[in-house]
C-alpha cells in the first residue's frame, strides 16, 4: 500500500511546501558532502517498499521530456519512422523540449503498466530523480515531484528527519 495515497498527497504537499522549500534553501547553503549518498540510501529504502504500479500518478498527471535518443529507441521499438512517432505522440513544450501530447500518457495501461516499459524515455526510467548525483541541483523539480509522487514525499520527509538543519 502506497502511503500517502495520490489523493492525500496534494494536501500534504501543499502543507509542507513552504517548509520544504526553506529546507532546500538552507541545504543549498550548506553544500552537504554526504547529501548524495544519503539521498541514494533513502531512495533505495523507499523503493524497497514502494510499488509504482499501485500508483502510476506520474504517468497520469505529467509528461516527461523525451530526448532524441528516446525518440530513436521508442520509434524503432514501435516500428515507426521517427517523424511519424513525433507527429503522433509528441509536442514541444514552452522550453522547446519534446513532451508527450497527452496526459495521462498514451502508453499507460489500465493496470498502471507501461506498453513501452523496456524502451521508455530516460526521464521515466530515472523518475523521481531522488537518487540522482548532485541532487541539490534539482530541488525545484523535487518540489514539483512531491505533489505527484508519494515516494518522493516520503523520501524528502525522511531526509528532513535524518539531516535536520
Amino acid at each position: 500500500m502506497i502511503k500517502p495515497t495520490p489523493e492525500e498527497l496534494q494536501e500534504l504537499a501543499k502543507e509542507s511546501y513552504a517548509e520544504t522549500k526553506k529546507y532546500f534553501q538552507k541545504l543549498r547553503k550548506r553544500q552537504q558532502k554526504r547529501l548524495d549518498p544519503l539521498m541514494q540510501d533513502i531512495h533505495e529504502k523507499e523503493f524497497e517498499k514502494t510499488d509504482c504500479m499501485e500508483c502510476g500518478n506520474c504517468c497520469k498527471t505529467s509528461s516527461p521530456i523525451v530526448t532524441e535518443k528516446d525518440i530513436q529507441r521508442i520509434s524503432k521499438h514501435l516500428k515507426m519512422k521517427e517523424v511519424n512517432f513525433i507527429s503522433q505522440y509528441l509536442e514541444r513544450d514552452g522550453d522547446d523540449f519534446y513532451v508527450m501530447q497527452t496526459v495521462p500518457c498514451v502508453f499507460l495501461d489500465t493496470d498502471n503498466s507501461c506498453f513501452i516499459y523496456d524502451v521508455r524515455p530516460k526521464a521515466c526510467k530515472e523518475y523521481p530523480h531522488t537518487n540522482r548525483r548532485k541532487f541539490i541541483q534539482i530541488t525545484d523539480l523535487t518540489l514539483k515531484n512531491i505533489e505527484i509522487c508519494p515516494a518522493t514525499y516520503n523520501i524528502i520527509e525522511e531526509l528532513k528527519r535524518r539531516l535536520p538543519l
Side-chain angles (χ1 to χ4, degrees), residues 22-163:
K22 188 182 236 180
Y23 177 84
F24 284 156
Q25 288 168 343
K26 287 181 182 178
L27 193 59
R28 253 188 232 107
K29 290 177 184 170
R30 293 225 177 153
Q31 293 296 317
Q32 295 289 335
K33 290 184 179 172
R34 55 178 232 178
L35 179 60
D36 286 348
L38 179 59
M39 285 300 296
Q40 289 165 1
D41 181 58
I42 296 169
H43 174 97
E44 287 173 21
K45 286 187 169 87
E46 178 64 29
F47 280 98
E48 286 173 4
K49 60 186 178 186
T50 297
D51 179 3
C52 295
M53 299 280 286
E54 290 181 27
C55 177
N57 204 38
C58 52
C59 304
K60 293 171 185 170
T61 63
S62 57
S63 181
I65 290 173
V66 182
T67 67
E68 291 294 333
K69 285 186 178 182
D70 294 332
I71 292 167
Q72 292 166 5
R73 186 177 59 257
I74 298 166
S75 60
K76 182 179 178 183
H77 175 78
L78 296 174
K79 297 178 174 55
M80 295 178 77
K81 289 184 178 179
E82 291 175 26
V83 68
N84 294 343
F85 174 77
I86 291 168
S87 66
Q88 187 170 346
Y89 296 110
L90 304 179
E91 65 185 11
R92 295 275 190 179
D93 69 4
D95 296 319
D96 205 30
F97 291 113
Y98 279 119
V99 294
M100 302 305 283
Q101 286 178 6
T102 60
V103 176
C105 179
V106 68
F107 299 111
L108 180 68
D109 203 350
T110 54
D111 65 355
N112 291 334
S113 64
C114 174
F115 291 121
I116 61 166
Y117 186 81
D118 291 337
V119 295
R120 68 196 183 279
K122 182 178 187 249
C124 299
K125 189 178 289 191
E126 295 178 354
Y127 192 84
H129 314 287
T130 48
N131 62 345
R132 183 187 284 188
R133 288 183 53 215
K134 298 182 181 177
F135 172 78
I136 200 66
Q137 295 176 353
I138 61 159
T139 54
D140 289 345
L141 174 64
T142 302
L143 274 171
K144 292 177 185 171
N145 289 343
I146 287 170
E147 298 174 16
I148 298 167
C149 175
T152 303
Y153 174 83
N154 292 338
I155 288 165
I156 299 308
E157 290 302 307
E158 181 64 17
L159 173 65
K160 290 187 228 174
R161 281 191 285 281
R162 289 178 54 181
L163 189 62

